[in-house]
């Protein structure tokens, strides 16, 4: 009964998921739609898997082009958003060390992983109201400071550390408006992103199925409140930074 009541209470929220074409973002769209939320899937181009879900899709949002991100505001209309989830990300500099890292690629990682998030939040801010939530999908390897002292992956880790800082700043700024912000680390997940790093021999495989991870991330979103705003959590809810 409690489960049913919880589901009914949580149902029919309007939630935008950015990076919805594949991977964790796609799984989040599926998990949210399955329990009756009104999901808006935001992407460059809908994949066949996304189209199959039959949810409203906003296409044409290229995160390296802030002009297309601004269009999101109009595409979403005037109705408020209960939640915004930013799951888009790229990890393309994992093969370089400081001598070889391609700084153009590093800039691209910042654009998608960090600046895109800022541009998206700017675009949808007028739709976020008291009680709305923002979930930023980050990575544990984006920890700043001494924790970061292991080999390589400069652009990904630096840009995610910057995303984390954005999340902390945003939580502080939006708190007086009653909007909660959470950074969440999905952990190794079996998606194209992880597979590319595994195929390059940089990390062992064994990522969790995206569906399972999405279900946990939705729990983190459910639990998020103004009291916990500004936290950085692993998928199981354990604090990444105590
Ligand atoms: N998988 C893991 O093990 C893992 C671990 C820790 C953190 N994460 C984080 O989880 C999030 C999701 O990752 P994932 O594993 O699901 O990756 P993924 O399967 O590679 O999916 C990445 C998503 O980002 C979108 N994207 C990339 N570049 C874009 C651009 N320029 N404009 C618009 N959209 C763009 C992709 O859209 P297109 O289809 O259009 O390219 C796709 O929807 C990322 O933030 C990642 O850093 C993943």
């Amino acid at each position: 009964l409690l489960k049913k009541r919880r589901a009914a209470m949580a149902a029919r929220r309007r939630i935008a998921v950015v990076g919805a074409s594949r991977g964790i973002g796609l799984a989040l769209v599926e998990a949210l739609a399955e329990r009756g939320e009104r999901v808006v899937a935001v992407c460059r181009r809908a994949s066949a898997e996304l189209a199959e879900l039959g949810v409203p899709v906003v296409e044409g949002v290229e995160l390296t082009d802030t002009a297309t991100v601004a269009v999101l505001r109009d595409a979403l209309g005037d109705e408020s958003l209960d939640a915004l989830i930013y799951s888009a990300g790229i990890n393309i500099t994992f093969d370089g060390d400081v001598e070889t890292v391609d700084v153009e690629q590093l800039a691209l990682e910042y654009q998608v992983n960090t600046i895109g998030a800022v541009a998206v939040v700017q675009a949808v801010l007028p739709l976020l109201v008291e009680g709305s939530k923002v979930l930023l999908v980050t990575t544990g390897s984006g920890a700043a400071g001494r924790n970061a002292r292991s080999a390589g992956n400069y652009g990904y880790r630096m840009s995610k550390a910057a995303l984390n800082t954005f999340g902390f700043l945003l939580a502080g700024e939006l708190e007086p408006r009653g909007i909660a912000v959470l950074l969440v680390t999905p952990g190794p997940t079996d998606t194209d992103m992880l597979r590319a790093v595994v195929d390059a021999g940089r990390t062992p495989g064994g990522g969790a199925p995206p569906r399972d991870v999405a279900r946990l991330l939705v729990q983190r979103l459910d639990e998020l409140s103004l009291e916990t705003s500004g936290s950085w959590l692993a998928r199981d809810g354990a604090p990444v930074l105590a």
Side-chain angles (χ1 to χ4, degrees):
L1 186 69
L2 190 65
K3 243 188 180 173
K4 264 194 186 157
R5 195 177 300 154
R6 233 186 246 150
M9 272 169 59
R12 312 288 315 146
R13 294 178 304 175
R14 187 173 193 236
I15 302 177
V17 178
V18 179
S21 59
R22 54 198 169 92
I24 295 168
L26 175 67
L28 280 164
V29 172
E30 194 173 8
L32 291 164
E34 259 172 20
R35 66 173 209 181
E37 314 285 12
R38 295 160 54 218
V39 193
V40 184
V42 182
C43 56
R44 296 197 272 208
R45 197 152 172 258
S47 58
E49 293 88 342
L50 175 58
E52 242 169 54
L53 297 178
V55 305
V57 176
V58 175
E59 283 186 301
V61 176
E62 165 56 65
L63 295 163
T64 59
D65 177 356
T66 32
T68 71
V69 178
V71 176
L72 196 49
R73 165 80 182 93
D74 288 337
L76 288 172
D78 290 329
E79 195 189 343
S80 64
L81 277 178
D82 296 290
L84 165 71
I85 302 179
Y86 193 87
S87 183
I90 53 171
N91 179 7
I92 53 177
T93 54
F94 51 81
D95 257 342
D97 54 23
V98 75
E99 285 181 296
T100 59
V101 67
D102 178 338
V103 292
E104 297 295 328
Q105 285 205 325
L106 188 143
L108 189 58
E109 281 173 316
Y110 267 88
Q111 189 64 45
V112 177
N113 296 344
T114 316
I115 306 198
V118 181
V120 165
V121 168
Q122 265 185 348
V124 308
L125 202 51
L127 305 182
L128 300 178
V129 295
E130 189 171 352
S132 296
K133 301 178 182 188
V134 177
L135 189 83
L136 302 173
V137 180
T138 184
T139 172
S141 69
R146 290 182 65 87
N147 280 350
R149 284 178 52 167
S150 66
N153 218 342
Y154 281 81
Y156 183 63
R157 301 173 76 172
M158 289 164 64
S159 61
K160 287 292 189 174
L163 173 71
N164 296 348
T165 301
F166 170 56
F168 299 134
L169 291 170
L170 191 66
E173 183 174 345
L174 298 188
E175 192 182 316
R177 294 162 67 163
I179 301 164
V181 179
L182 182 71
L183 290 158
V184 71
T185 299
T189 309
D190 185 20
T191 65
D192 294 342
M193 181 185 286
L194 183 66
R195 266 173 243 135
V197 188
V198 172
D199 289 350
R202 304 289 301 197
T203 190
R211 285 177 68 97
D212 296 354
V213 172
R215 219 170 296 126
L216 291 170
L217 299 194
V218 169
Q219 281 176 19
R220 305 289 77 80
L221 182 70
D222 287 346
E223 289 164 5
L224 173 62
S225 68
L226 273 186
E227 284 65 44
T228 55
S229 184
S231 312
W232 180 11
L233 303 178
R235 65 188 180 203
D236 63 359
V240 176
L241 273 187

